[in-house]
């Protein structure tokens, strides 16, 4: 009996040890739980933007063996871009690809300054990686606990009309045409200073306003945006190069830091590749979307270099001083000087 009582605890310890080893081995056969980031964007499924984000997601899955994934919410499913930016700031949404919301910080208007860039090369020198406006936007986003991962060039903007154009290339001509403008000061001033009547309306009301004749057209987007949302009410398109539409791939800064080192590195690498691909494709996409508008029944009013130059010079002389004063000349002027040199 004495012998048995001494061996029983030892046997129990061995059994417990064996059971623990078996459990550890079993758990090791299960894959680690993948990290899934929710990402919002503003266009419908199947559009170029949506497909580009799907490619980004595929790149992340491939480079992390499926450990880092994106769950994509298209067509403002999580709210419009203003709300989404606010929710990213507080960590309620992980990521987005969208325009910057100037309602959170009016200095973000520097990225929407009309006629800041005249062509695609200038645009990349201003908005691309390590460029002056890009660095300024990164700092502004950081103040909202948002990290800017990449820029996404979309198009040079223009004007969509549900009627014929009037003196489209002459910024001094009074056109008697009312345009919906986004509720952003720079677009209101732009419309008013090139001969139109600007009428601020939310995006959600814009199509109906054009359809019912409350306004005659829209300013603030480009061929891609007009084809996606206004092709049924676009009879005339004026590629005036009103502004350079740039969107941003953004993530909540704390969420980024919560990723492990390998995941962060993979995300930053994939984001850089995402941006580089877009700079190569954006110009071709703009032409393709202009052609889509033509196929949908719109007439394109081609602008000459002299007309574009005349319009740009007037806007820089009349609109820029007001925007620069609004966002603070001490802050903005050095950035613009650097960008334009």
């Amino acid at each position: 009996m004495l012998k048995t009582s001494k061996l029983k605890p030892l046997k129990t310890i061995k059994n417990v040890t064996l059971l623990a080893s078996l459990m550890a081995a079993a758990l090791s056969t299960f894959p680690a739980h993948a990290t899934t980031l929710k990402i919002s964007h503003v266009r419908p499924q199947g559009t170029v933007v949506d497909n580009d984000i799907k490619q980004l997601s595929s790149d992340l899955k491939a480079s992390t063996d499926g450990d880092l994934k994106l769950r994509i919410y298209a067509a403002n499913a999580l709210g419009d871009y203003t709300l989404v930016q606010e929710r990213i700031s507080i960590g309620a949404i992980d990521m987005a690809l969208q325009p910057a919301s100037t309602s959170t910080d009016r200095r973000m208007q520097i990225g929407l300054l009309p006629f800041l860039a005249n062509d695609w090369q200038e645009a990349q020198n201003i908005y691309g990686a390590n460029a002056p406006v890009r660095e300024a936007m990164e700092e502004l986003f950081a103040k909202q606990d948002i990290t800017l991962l990449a820029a996404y060039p979309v198009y040079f903007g223009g004007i969509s009309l549900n009627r014929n154009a009037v003196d489209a290339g002459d910024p001094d001509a009074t056109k008697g045409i009312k345009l919906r403008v986004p509720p952003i000061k720079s677009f209101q001033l732009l419309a008013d200073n090139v001969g139109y009547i600007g009428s601020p309306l939310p995006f959600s009301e814009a199509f109906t306003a054009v359809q019912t004749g409350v306004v005659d057209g829209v300013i603030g987007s480009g061929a891609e945006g007009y084809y996606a949302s206004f092709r049924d009410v676009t009879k005339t398109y004026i590629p005036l190069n009103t502004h350079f539409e740039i969107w941003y791939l953004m993530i909540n800064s704390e969420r980024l830091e919560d990723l492990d080192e390998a995941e962060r590195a993979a995300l930053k690498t994939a984001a850089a590749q995402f941006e580089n691909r877009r700079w190569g494709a954006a110009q071709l996409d703009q032409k393709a979307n202009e052609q889509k508008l033509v196929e949908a029944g719109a007439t394109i009013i081609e602008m000459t270099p002299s007309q574009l130059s005349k319009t740009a010079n007037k806007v820089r002389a009349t609109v820029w001083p007001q925007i620069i004063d609004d966002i603070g000349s001490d802050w903005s002027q050095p950035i613009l000087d650097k960008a334009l040199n």
Side-chain angles (χ1 to χ4, degrees), residues 271-312:
Q273 294 169 346
F274 173 80
E275 177 172 345
N276 289 336
R277 283 195 300 267
R278 184 57 195 168
W279 279 111
Q283 189 170 359
L284 295 176
D285 279 350
Q286 177 173 304
K287 290 295 183 183
N289 281 299
E290 288 175 358
Q291 182 58 35
K292 286 181 180 180
L293 283 176
V294 171
E295 293 169 0
T299 298
I300 306 290
I301 308 297
E302 296 292 348
M303 296 288 97
T304 66
S306 62
Q307 288 173 326
L308 292 174
S309 179
K310 181 179 180 180
T311 304

Side-chain angles (χ1 to χ4, degrees), residues 218-241:
V218 185
I219 193 171
S221 190
E224 184 266 350
Y226 295 135
Y227 181 77
S229 303
F230 295 94
R231 60 179 176 269
D232 293 337
V233 292
T234 298
K235 293 183 179 179
T236 306
Y237 178 62
I238 306 168
L240 196 59
N241 289 3

Side-chain angles (χ1 to χ4, degrees), residues 114-115 193 310-322:
F115 293 98
N193 279 275
K310 181 179 180 180
T311 304
N313 289 338
K314 180 173 184 181
V315 170
R316 289 179 175 183
T318 58
V319 175
W320 278 28
Q322 297 182 67

Side-chain angles (χ1 to χ4, degrees), residues 196-209:
Y196 295 93
I197 304 165
S199 179
L201 288 171
F203 179 81
S204 60
E205 299 176 16
F207 181 88
T208 302

Side-chain angles (χ1 to χ4, degrees), residues 50 52 59 63 95 101 118 121 127 146 149 164 168 172 186 210 218 223-225 242 245 267 291 298 318 320 331:
D50 187 61
D52 283 349
D59 291 346
S63 62
M95 297 180 64
S101 170
N118 294 305
Q121 187 57 59
Y127 298 98
I146 296 173
L149 294 170
N164 293 331
D172 297 323
S186 59
V210 178
V218 185
E224 184 266 350
T242 52
E245 183 79 4
L267 180 56
Q291 182 58 35
T318 58
W320 278 28
W331 175 80

Side-chain angles (χ1 to χ4, degrees), residues 159-179:
I159 299 172
S160 163
L161 298 176
N162 195 20
R163 49 160 293 169
N164 293 331
V166 175
D167 295 320
D170 184 0
D172 297 323
T174 300
K175 300 166 179 62
I177 295 175
K178 182 180 287 189
L179 297 179

Side-chain angles (χ1 to χ4, degrees), residues 1-2 18 20 46-48 70 73 97 109 111 142 152-153 170 186 219 225 235 242 244 268 305:
M1 297 296 292
L2 180 61
L18 177 61
T47 57
V48 170
L70 299 181
Y73 294 85
L97 176 66
Q109 289 182 88
Y152 187 88
D170 184 0
S186 59
I219 193 171
K235 293 183 179 179
T242 52
F244 189 71
K268 290 179 179 180

